[in-house]
Amino acid sequence: MAQITTHAIVVRRADYRENDRMITLFSPTMGRIDALCRGCRRQKSPLMAASELFCAGEYVLYQTHDRATVVSCQVSDTYYALRSDYEKLSHGMYMLELCGAAIQPGQENERLFMLLLRSLAHLCYGEAAPRRITAVFLMGMTSLLGFRPQVGRCARCGTPVLQNHTNDDTLIASFSPEDGGVLCPGCSAGEQCRLRERDVVYLQDIMKRGLASLDTQAECPDALFDALRALAEGRLDTPIRSGRMLG
C-alpha cells in the first residue's frame, strides 16, 4: 500500500453504496485518478467537501493495485459561488466534463490543470460573461491537446486571413470545426459560421493572450461559440452531456 499526495480537482462524482462516493480527480502530475471517498456522505464527514464537484486542494490517497482511496484533503477552493448562478454553474460543469474526457491515468498535464483552475476562478469571481470565458477555455484546451486552431491563415489553403485590417463588420471569413480553424472567403462556401473582420481579430487575441484577453469588451458570437464547442467535442470524440445546459 502506497500513500500519494497530489494537488487535484474533482471533475466527476457518483454516489456509491449508502455513504460513499466514487470521484474522478484531475491531478496536474498524475492525470486522471479514480478514487473512493468512504463515508463522505455522512453528516459532519471531514471528506464531505472533498467529494464534491469543483473541490480543489491537496489530496492524500492510499493506492492499492488499481484502486485509490481518499484519506484527507486540504481544500484550497470549492468555487462555491458558482452554485448560486445557473449560467456560471453550467459553464463550469461543461469545463469539468471536457477535462474529464480529455485526461488519462498517469498522463501529466499541468498546463491544462492551471487553465481549468484559472477559468473557474474567472467564472466564480470575475465579471466577464461566462460564454467569453468558456470560449477562451475551449481555444486553450484544444491547443494544449495538440489541436491548435488555425486563426492566422486559412486552415484549408494557407492564405492569410487578415491582410488589410480595418476592424469593421464586413464578413471576410468563416470558422470550420472540421478543418480546425478559420477559412478564407474562397474556401468559405457552405460554412455556417461566418466571421466578421472583428471576429477574426477576437480569435487571434484569444490565441495570443488567453484569459488575459478578458480585459476587453469583445463578444463571442453565438455561431462562433457553437463552432468552438464542435471543434473541442469533435476532437475528444466523446459526448459532453453538460453542453445541453449551455442553451
Side-chain angles (χ1 to χ4, degrees):
M1 181 178 291
Q3 181 171 295
I4 301 168
T5 301
T6 180
H7 290 282
I9 182 170
V10 179
V11 297
R12 188 180 300 160
R13 70 168 198 179
D15 291 343
Y16 179 64
R17 294 177 178 168
E18 185 175 354
N19 295 302
D20 304 339
R21 183 170 283 160
M22 294 296 300
I23 62 174
T24 298
L25 297 170
F26 176 12
S27 162
T29 56
M30 301 176 63
R32 172 180 172 149
I33 303 172
D34 294 313
L36 174 65
C37 250
R38 295 187 184 276
C40 63
R41 294 161 60 203
R42 294 193 182 100
Q43 287 188 351
K44 299 183 179 180
S45 168
L47 294 178
M48 183 176 292
S51 68
E52 295 289 350
L53 290 174
F54 299 106
C55 182
E58 186 176 72
Y59 282 79
V60 178
L61 311 167
Y62 271 131
Q63 181 82 41
T64 56
H65 303 293
D66 59 347
R67 170 171 289 186
T69 302
V70 178
V71 176
S72 64
C73 176
Q74 183 66 43
V75 177
S76 59
D77 205 334
T78 62
Y79 304 100
Y80 188 80
L82 294 178
R83 293 160 176 80
S84 64
D85 187 309
Y86 179 80
E87 184 182 15
K88 291 183 177 182
L89 178 63
S90 299
H91 283 262
M93 292 185 67
Y94 181 64
M95 293 180 192
L96 290 187
E97 191 173 355
L98 284 170
C99 287
I103 58 178
Q104 299 296 325
Q107 188 176 83
E108 178 180 349
N109 202 329
E110 185 169 358
R111 294 178 67 187
L112 180 58
F113 179 81
M114 292 307 302
L115 175 65
L116 174 61
L117 263 58
R118 291 180 61 208
S119 298
L120 291 176
H122 277 281
L123 267 180
C124 193
Y125 309 116
E127 298 182 357
R131 181 166 294 218
R132 291 186 59 208
I133 298 168
T134 302
V136 177
F137 176 82
L138 289 167
M139 290 279 281
M141 187 194 76
T142 50
S143 296
L144 292 173
L145 295 179
F147 308 109
R148 182 182 178 89
Q150 177 61 262
V151 297
R153 293 179 175 271
C154 176
R156 194 172 294 172
C157 71
T159 301
V161 179
L162 286 180
Q163 300 190 51
N164 297 307
H165 177 222
T166 59
N167 200 27
D168 60 16
D169 289 332
T170 305
L171 291 171
I172 65 163
S174 64
F175 191 94
S176 169
E178 292 77 15
D179 290 286
V182 175
L183 300 182
C184 69
C187 296
S188 293
E191 294 295 333
Q192 295 183 343
C193 180
R194 301 301 304 277
L195 301 177
R196 299 163 296 182
E197 192 164 306
R198 65 179 179 179
D199 298 330
V200 177
V201 174
Y202 166 70
L203 282 174
Q204 292 179 350
D205 189 41
I206 290 178
M207 185 60 73
K208 182 179 180 181
R209 299 198 297 135
L211 290 166
S213 66
L214 296 175
D215 62 3
T216 70
Q217 297 300 314
E219 294 296 330
C220 182
D222 291 347
L224 177 57
F225 183 74
D226 291 342
L228 291 174
R229 284 182 53 193
L231 172 65
E233 294 176 28
R235 295 302 187 267
L236 290 174
D237 196 25
T238 301
I240 306 298
R241 292 177 295 176
S242 58
R244 291 176 290 186
M245 299 168 60
L246 302 183

